[in-house]
Amino acid sequence: MDQVNVALVGAGSWGNNILRTLSRIDDANVKLVCDIDTNQIKRLAREYPAIIFTEKIEDITKNKSIDAVIIATPSPTHAAFTKMFLLSGHAVFVEKPMALTLADAEELFDITQKESSPLLMVGHLLIYHPALESVHRLIASEEIGTLYYIYTKRLNLGIVRKDENALWSLAPHDISIVLDLIEEKPNAVSATGSAYVNQGIEDVVFLTLSFPSGRIAQIHVSWLDPHKERKVVVVGSKKMVVFDDMQPNEKVKVYDKGAEVEGSADYIESISIRHGDINIPLVPSAEPLMKEMEHFISCVKNDTSPRSGAGEGLAVVRILTAGVESLKSHGKTIELT
Ligand SMILES: NC(=O)c1ccc[n+]([C@@H]2O[C@H](COP(=O)([O-])OP(=O)(O)OC[C@H]3O[C@@H](n4cnc5c(N)ncnc54)[C@H](O)[C@@H]3O)[C@@H](O)[C@H]2O)c1
């Protein structure tokens, strides 16, 4: 295959970014865009005269030249559209979250496990962020020593959603980051949160993941906060790493800090605190969306497995649904099997 022929479903604010990004990738050829908003279609048709625009989703399945479909419609449509296109033999990229129920996510995962299934990639954008890839390398190379724990913050004032809580709206990114960095699936989840603006829709959530290795991760999401924060903090036995996406440059800082114990497990003689240098690794300035789309197109072209496939999508939905169950029972720990 010289170029991957792509159809995009959903050309709203994020779909527009995807379209713009794909138009800069040589191996991608966007042939068809489907959206139910007629005005949006008319506007985009003027901007992209070589692309066919349609309001009918079946125009994609009817068009035999399409290799891959990208779904950037609102999340309630993700599971049904993904299933439809996988079953019609198309490689699919679906925005996060892959589905809104565990049953739907499991069904999609099962479809992809069949031998003849096309590939499915989920839009876990931030694992393709070059700065987070550099954090991943620092962990994998054991430069930070043993990984102890991770916490993340995704905070801002607004956008206050009416149809989904802060967990579903904001946490998929952080959950996918944590799973990518820890490379382990949690065995328990607990969440506390509160709804202040809209009854029953949590504006702030603290989600805790516990892992079989004893590590923990805490994810704090809120749209009711005075600060805009996008942060990941990784604490290891030798070093600590901070990723701060609000910094225009120098997004990753590595702190040579830690607590060192003298003596044995039975008898601790002393504990010394180490304050060393702060190192700022050079991180390539590539756009995460460009890296993500290039990865999808390359997986389709070369028939390779995506880094954020159906298994990763399912893991995120499993944690989100367990988080909701815990929220409803005032922070009860939900065991994951
Ligand atoms: N990865 C990221 O960082 C990121 C960022 C923003 C949004 N998103 C995801 O992208 C998706 C879209 O978000 P958005 O902010 O662009 O929303 P949006 O409302 O701006 O756009 C959605 C578009 O889908 C169209 N649409 C709705 N139902 C449709 C249907 N049945 N068939 C065809 N088109 C349909 C709408 O007309 C609209 O143009 C969501 O799943 C969201 O979670 C991801």
Side-chain angles (χ1 to χ4, degrees), residues 9-15 34-37 40 72-75 77-78 81 95-96 123 125 173:
V9 193
S13 52
W14 193 245
C34 167
D35 198 296
I36 48 172
D37 182 337
Q40 177 73 335
T73 45
S75 46
T77 61
H78 289 180
F81 284 174
E95 264 311 328
K96 52 82 205 165
L125 176 75
H173 282 310

Side-chain angles (χ1 to χ4, degrees), residues 16 22 25 56 64 111 136 152 213 222 301 314 336:
N16 252 291
L22 286 170
I25 298 177
K56 292 187 233 130
K64 296 293 169 224
I111 293 172
H136 191 286
T152 71
S213 59
S222 172
K301 193 171 170 174
L314 171 60
L336 300 180

Side-chain angles (χ1 to χ4, degrees), residues 1-8 18-19 21-33 48-52 63 65-70 293 296-297 300-301:
M1 171 189 308
D2 283 344
Q3 274 189 315
V4 176
N5 289 330
V6 179
L8 169 71
I18 291 177
L19 193 53
T21 305
L22 286 170
S23 67
R24 288 157 50 211
I25 298 177
D26 289 342
D27 283 341
N29 175 24
V30 182
K31 290 199 96 170
L32 218 149
V33 172
Y48 297 93
I51 296 178
I52 302 164
N63 187 323
S65 67
I66 302 295
D67 306 303
V69 181
I70 294 184
M293 285 297 125
F296 176 61
I297 296 299
V300 178
K301 193 171 170 174

Side-chain angles (χ1 to χ4, degrees), residues 24 128-131 248-249 251 282-291:
R24 288 157 50 211
Y128 301 94
H129 195 307
N249 307 302
K251 287 179 188 278
L282 188 66
V283 171
S285 62
E287 271 175 65
L289 183 57
M290 175 58 87
K291 301 261 297 170

Side-chain angles (χ1 to χ4, degrees), residues 103-118:
D104 281 348
E106 282 173 338
E107 187 184 9
L108 294 178
F109 177 78
D110 288 346
I111 293 172
T112 63
Q113 297 312 292
K114 300 206 172 108
E115 212 179 310
S116 56
S117 170

